Amino acid sequence: MHTINMMMGAATFRYPALAPPLAPSGRLSTAKWKVQVASSSPPSSTATAEADVVVVGSGIGGLCCAGLLARYEQDVLVVESHDRPGGAAHSFDIKGYKFDSGPSVFSGLQSKGSQPNPLAQVLDALGESIPCATYDSWDVYIPEGDFRFRVGPTEFLKLSYLQDLEKYAGPNAVQEWKKLMDAILPLSTAAMALPPLSIRGDFGVLSTAAVRYAPSLIKSFVQMGGPFGAKKLSRPFSEILDGLDIKDPFIRNWIDLWSFIFSGLKTNGVISQEMVYMLAEWYKPGSCLEFPNHGSAAIVDALVRGLEKFGGRISLRSHVEKIVVENGRAIGVKLRSGQFIRAKKAVVSNASMWDTLRLLPKDVIPKSYSDKIKTTPQCESFMHLHLGIDAEGIRDDLGIHHVVVNDWERGVDAEQNVVLVSVPSVLSPDMAPPGKHVLHAYIPGTEPFELWEGLERTSPEYRKLKAERSEVIWKAVERVLGEGFRREKCEVKLVGSPLTHRRYLRRHRGTFGPALEAGKESFPGSSTPIPQLFCCGDSTFPGIGIPAVAASGAIAANSLVSVSQHSQLLDAIGI
């Protein structure tokens, strides 16, 4: 088993990415998930597996797609290279510390009905729920100073909260923020008029979406001023800011920061609908943020439960070597073991567009499709720091989430400039041993892969570069935790690089996803030029982020069943 070694004194810690979790006895165990491991028999064997739909990859998008297909009474099999499901949202344990590998900011997970959160809608369809802790604040560390940011309709403007907005911003900042929030309301009504679960990738969408929700769509259309107003939602959010004459540098930097954190793009590239949804969710009355009890593993577990409840299957440690195409159609997958798994109806790839391309035989790929993918710009990669620390001496008012910005002038998308720090054990104490904290800090999508390309993971050069490039994260952690924190007191230290992302998450060049700017380019839909091959995940519409990939999985699943089945599901969950 290849591992990445992290030294702390005499102890060695590794990202446990390619081995099943250990049972209390120390023996290998996969009891956490009901796992159907694919046979290693060759394609000619009578034991050849098959399913109506084979889903490649168990990221959030893949699990949402597979779960809904099972709910639609399709025979679905998920094949996953890793020894645990979840993709970039998987979790792992070391010495009693439960680490999330990826997302940690959530909202709307417990909402029901026609709410705009696609993941909540999928969970509702699967009859699953996720207990969550709620909170309403982040700690922010910027060049102007440190403060605690709270969600809610008036919190941004409270002097008792920000102490003095004009200390950080210009004299017109309060008026500009109010103007923006006043404009967001009608836009948000339109952005949320269409439940994400109603969308499909064919003309059936006219029935499941356009006709079904015509009254609310027409009302929103009128409120926005007709075609011109409605078009705003598909344009870059910066155009809305410019149209409202929002000029205060602090306000613009603030919104750029959150846009980049959640989409990988600043406001001049992010689609307005995404930002309108986020701002409306965060600044509406009674708004709060949520953290799943036990971390992102709780989301993955709920999706796997839902999948299996309706007869779906998941096969871990089943690395797909290629997608098999016969007579121009995708007919299944071939595993590294040599086994062929037939897909009677479709193959759905939850891999990135670049990794999906690599799985296809070169002679069946239309040149235009291949060229489009190869020339699609990519977001950069990540640096990660996973720590297990003693809580003694750490400040009592420690929050769960923190964002550190070193220099506004460089831009929030500049490398080594923005660091996010999450301490989930603040809200979910079971994620760390008693009296301890689990911490995940990372540089979000700004680490150039080129710096790491060609390095051997066991080489002194690689270790040296990791130490150099993680230093900015360590300094951010020290700023967040205060004087009581000492690096040498960490019980677990793990440093992840773009090579970690590439190897353990199967991400092409460790990328965050496609860097497609609104107004210039758009995310492709779930269908491909190869019949019976579909895609979902952050390389497809709507794009990057947990809500977006959940929606992409739902769109792919909906596209594979009849309009009648789709409509019946919408009726069943009350949307």
Side-chain angles (χ1 to χ4, degrees), residues 555-568:
I555 292 169
N558 296 338
S559 303
L560 286 167
V561 299
S562 69
V563 169
S564 175
Q565 287 176 289
H566 188 180
S567 298
Q568 288 171 13

Side-chain angles (χ1 to χ4, degrees), residues 1-3 14-20 81-84 90 92 504:
M1 178 180 74
H2 295 288
T3 54
R14 303 180 174 98
Y15 281 110
L18 299 179
S81 179
H82 210 311
D83 56 29
R84 63 203 70 198
H90 81 271
F92 57 94
Y504 292 91

Side-chain angles (χ1 to χ4, degrees), residues 90-107:
H90 81 271
S91 300
F92 57 94
D93 299 6
I94 295 179
K95 293 187 68 176
Y97 293 94
K98 299 176 177 62
F99 293 101
D100 287 338
S101 64
S104 56
V105 182
F106 306 94
S107 65

Side-chain angles (χ1 to χ4, degrees), residues 127-298:
E128 293 292 335
S129 61
I130 302 173
C132 294
T134 60
Y135 63 104
D136 67 354
S137 63
W138 283 55
D139 286 343
V140 180
Y141 309 79
I142 56 177
E144 296 89 339
D146 307 342
F147 63 90
R148 179 157 285 184
F149 143 72
R150 297 185 187 278
V151 298
T154 61
E155 294 294 341
F156 191 84
L157 303 175
K158 285 183 179 178
L159 297 182
S160 60
Y161 148 58
L162 201 54
Q163 297 181 0
D164 183 358
L165 185 60
E166 294 184 7
K167 176 181 177 182
Y168 302 94
N172 298 321
V174 171
Q175 291 75 18
E176 290 190 5
W177 185 259
K178 288 180 177 177
K179 186 196 304 183
L180 175 60
M181 290 299 101
D182 288 342
I184 288 296
L185 181 59
L187 291 172
S188 67
T189 302
M192 301 177 185
L194 196 64
L197 210 64
S198 69
I199 303 173
R200 52 190 292 130
D202 56 24
F203 286 115
V205 72
L206 296 175
S207 174
T208 60
V211 174
R212 187 182 184 95
Y213 302 100
S216 60
L217 289 172
I218 292 171
K219 181 180 178 180
S220 300
F221 189 74
V222 172
Q223 286 179 336
M224 293 185 64
F228 180 76
K231 189 177 179 181
K232 290 180 182 178
L233 290 176
S234 63
R235 300 290 301 170
F237 191 63
S238 59
E239 293 184 3
I240 291 179
L241 299 177
D242 294 340
L244 294 170
D245 203 30
I246 307 295
K247 295 181 178 179
D248 184 85
F250 179 82
I251 300 294
R252 296 294 294 242
N253 283 331
W254 181 256
I255 299 173
D256 261 343
L257 173 64
W258 296 112
S259 173
F260 183 76
I261 287 173
F262 288 107
S263 73
L265 297 168
K266 296 195 296 185
T267 54
N268 61 353
V270 69
I271 189 171
S272 290
Q273 185 170 5
E274 184 172 348
M275 286 301 294
V276 166
Y277 163 64
M278 188 272 284
L279 289 171
E281 276 289 292
W282 282 19
Y283 292 102
K284 68 183 180 182
S287 60
C288 68
L289 300 171
E290 297 168 334
F291 187 77
N293 293 348
H294 320 304
S296 62

Side-chain angles (χ1 to χ4, degrees), residues 301-321:
D301 289 349
L303 290 171
V304 172
R305 284 197 307 270
L307 166 70
E308 294 178 333
K309 178 193 304 180
F310 290 98
R313 298 167 287 158
I314 182 168
S315 178
L316 304 178
R317 290 172 290 170
S318 299
H319 182 82
V320 173
E321 196 71 39

